[in-house]
Amino acid sequence: METEALIDQLAGPDRKAAGDALVAIGAPAVRPVLAVLCDEESPVDWAAGATVLRRIGRPALDPLIEAMATAPTGEVARRCGWAHSGLEIADLAAFVPGLSHPSPKVRANTAYVLQNRGEAALPHAPALLALLDDPDPDVRQRVIWALEEIGPGVVPLLRRIRRSRTPARRRALEALAAVGGPSALDDRDQALVRRLIRVKAATETPEPMHLCGTWYAVPTGDRAAVLDAFGLSEPEPVTMRLGASAWNHDHHVWRGEHRSCRRVYVTPSLDGWTLLFGAPFPTHEDLDPADVQEHCRELSRRFGAAHWYGASCGDEWTSWCVAEDGDIVRYYDVFDPDDQIGSHPAEDGYVLPHTDPFPDDAFDGIDLHDSAAFQARYLQVKGDLGIPDECHATSFAARASVDPSALGPQTSVQGHAVLALTSCGRRHGHPPGALEI
């Protein structure tokens, strides 16, 4: 009765004291607390129960694994997984049997536990490596992430698998790239990857790119001149898909130093323009308007024109800069419209995104939290009043240079794509990460 009363108190103002008391009870409290954790109708906050189980530690391990494996809903499995991943158990060996559990949810969550411990999990890496070719894709992905966090210590183990005849050989190549980048591959594997790139690049069709970050465009197909102007070196031929994958990977993964400024994806000549994705200059990606404009001025003196674009997949940020023969003819940033310079015919027929062309009463009576109703009214008013579309870096680029989000079979391609090192890359090398080829 004492345990049940304490569990009830987890829903009240004395939840901390009740939690401390349940932890002191230990193993006998595990099953009752777990039952509440798995009850989606319980008034007790699930996180309160999960925290108690985490603090109880080892006695909660097997019951949580059982509950995770048999969870009736995804929500219950998620709750059990959260409790399991934070169990206060010093000896990681206690978790390792979970890697061979019949349930893929348990195997994946156990790999996540080792992932969270980083280099400390290295002694248990062989058990993780046994799951490289697990039949469940979520487990395979979690194993790769865990190996990334464990770090370079797993490279010799992965190379041994690469030289074996086991079915995991192919996955080991991906894991090597994820953990250490190109430098983790031995000479044979580097030659294999380069050969595959050559084969795929020979018949590759441009694909629309996911855009989140900044890029430059210059009207030339002179690869050597482009690399020189941007201070890039050691160009490595890649497919366009691999180049785009590298750019998106490098500035969406925050682990490690200089991850987003070591290399730049340089496209082939696309409809007469070469595009560069990344942070080629020493100021990295945190460029202020003055930096952007000065780079564009210098580049335009060499190539006649230079464009810079920015877009975000996380908010509505968009920006563009155009220089011709050493002068800025247009600069615009949606978040700093007062700093804009000039105008450009590529914007004709659009409205700039910082403006609001809708009447004040356009959305009267609409619940702004009802996205479907808001969208319907937006389209209705836009159509009734003939309000133009908003200009964006992509729509501007489609008229002024090349829109990377609209690449396709219609795009003229001359030459090949490369990944080239920046000054940071020459010091630190390519960042780790498995990329699409």
Side-chain angles (χ1 to χ4, degrees):
M1 291 296 293
E2 177 190 3
T3 298
E4 293 176 0
L6 288 170
I7 290 173
D8 289 340
Q9 292 174 32
L10 288 176
D14 298 326
R15 63 175 65 88
K16 184 182 184 306
D20 291 342
L22 288 165
V23 172
I25 292 172
V30 168
R31 295 284 179 183
V33 173
L34 182 57
V36 172
L37 175 71
C38 296
D39 180 3
E40 296 185 55
E41 303 300 322
S42 172
V44 175
D45 180 8
W46 70 267
T51 300
V52 168
L53 294 173
R54 282 181 160 195
R55 294 173 61 197
I56 289 174
R58 182 63 181 86
L61 176 60
D62 291 337
L64 275 170
I65 286 176
E66 176 188 345
M68 201 186 328
T70 60
T73 67
E75 171 60 19
V76 171
R78 185 187 69 81
R79 294 178 179 185
C80 293
W82 189 85
H84 172 259
S85 66
L87 285 170
E88 296 180 7
I89 300 175
D91 185 4
L92 282 176
F95 290 98
V96 171
L99 293 173
S100 57
H101 194 279
S103 166
K105 289 179 288 190
V106 174
R107 297 198 300 276
N109 216 74
T110 303
Y112 178 58
V113 171
L114 299 182
Q115 174 185 338
N116 287 340
R117 303 297 178 91
E119 190 177 355
L122 180 58
H124 309 292
L128 273 172
L129 295 174
L131 299 181
L132 278 172
D133 61 342
D134 191 277
D136 187 273
D138 290 338
V139 175
R140 294 196 300 268
Q141 181 60 73
R142 183 58 67 185
V143 167
I144 296 291
W145 289 335
L147 295 172
E148 285 183 283
E149 292 299 328
I150 293 172
V154 302
V155 168
L157 303 176
L158 289 165
R159 285 179 172 171
R160 195 174 306 142
I161 294 174
R162 281 295 297 159
R163 302 281 76 88
S164 72
R165 297 182 179 275
T166 64
R169 289 181 67 252
R170 185 171 67 87
R171 298 287 178 188
L173 180 61
E174 177 187 353
L176 277 166
V179 171
S183 64
L185 278 57
D186 63 20
D187 291 343
R188 288 174 59 183
D189 279 337
Q190 289 194 26
L192 172 68
V193 171
R194 288 188 174 110
R195 186 164 59 249
L196 179 59
I197 287 171
R198 286 196 300 271
V199 170
K200 291 200 168 189
T203 58
E204 186 178 25
T205 299
E207 298 174 324
M209 288 180 60
H210 171 77
L211 299 177
C212 186
T214 61
W215 69 98
Y216 288 87
V218 288
T220 182
D222 187 339
R223 169 64 44 70
V226 169
L227 295 177
D228 180 65
F230 284 86
L232 304 174
S233 63
E234 300 178 48
E236 182 73 33
V238 294
T239 60
M240 289 178 277
R241 176 177 291 182
L242 192 156
S245 176
W247 178 57
N248 273 295
H249 171 273
D250 292 351
H251 67 266
H252 282 102
V253 175
W254 302 106
R255 186 175 55 254
E257 293 183 338
H258 298 279
R259 289 297 294 262
S260 63
C261 59
R262 298 188 194 184
R263 61 189 175 190
V264 170
Y265 164 41
V266 184
T267 70
S269 174
L270 303 173
D271 291 338
W273 291 78
T274 297
L275 312 185
L276 298 93
F277 295 85
F281 299 110
T283 45
H284 305 156
E285 291 193 83
D286 297 325
L287 296 177
D288 63 29
D291 291 324
V292 170
Q293 292 164 28
E294 184 56 32
H295 290 318
C296 287
R297 285 191 192 95
E298 288 296 324
L299 292 166
S300 72
R301 291 187 183 103
R302 184 161 185 171
F303 299 108
H307 297 193
W308 173 90
Y309 300 98
S312 172
C313 64
D315 57 28
E316 297 180 349
W317 178 70
T318 187
S319 185
W320 51 90
C321 181
V322 175
E324 296 176 358
D325 299 320
D327 294 321
I328 300 298
V329 298
R330 181 58 170 146
Y331 175 80
Y332 176 81
D333 187 311
V334 65
F335 291 165
D336 295 297
D338 291 342
D339 294 334
Q340 62 182 298
I341 297 171
S343 61
H344 198 280
E347 299 164 359
D348 291 351
Y350 289 109
V351 294
L352 292 175
H354 73 279
T355 62
D356 182 6
F358 286 80
D360 292 341
D361 61 353
F363 301 100
D364 285 357
I366 297 295
D367 180 358
L368 299 183
H369 298 290
D370 185 341
S371 58
F374 178 85
Q375 180 71 1
R377 176 65 64 83
Y378 173 88
L379 294 174
Q380 174 197 341
V381 175
K382 184 173 182 290
D384 290 345
L385 300 181
I387 297 173
D389 292 334
E390 288 185 349
C391 196
H392 186 272
T394 52
S395 52
F396 187 100
R399 291 180 173 181
S401 57
V402 177
D403 175 9
S405 70
L407 300 177
Q410 79 286 351
T411 307
S412 170
V413 180
Q414 298 293 325
H416 60 267
V418 298
L419 283 177
L421 295 180
T422 65
S423 58
C424 285
R426 289 188 283 276
R427 291 194 301 272
H428 302 285
H430 285 269
L435 307 172
E436 297 180 61
I437 296 179

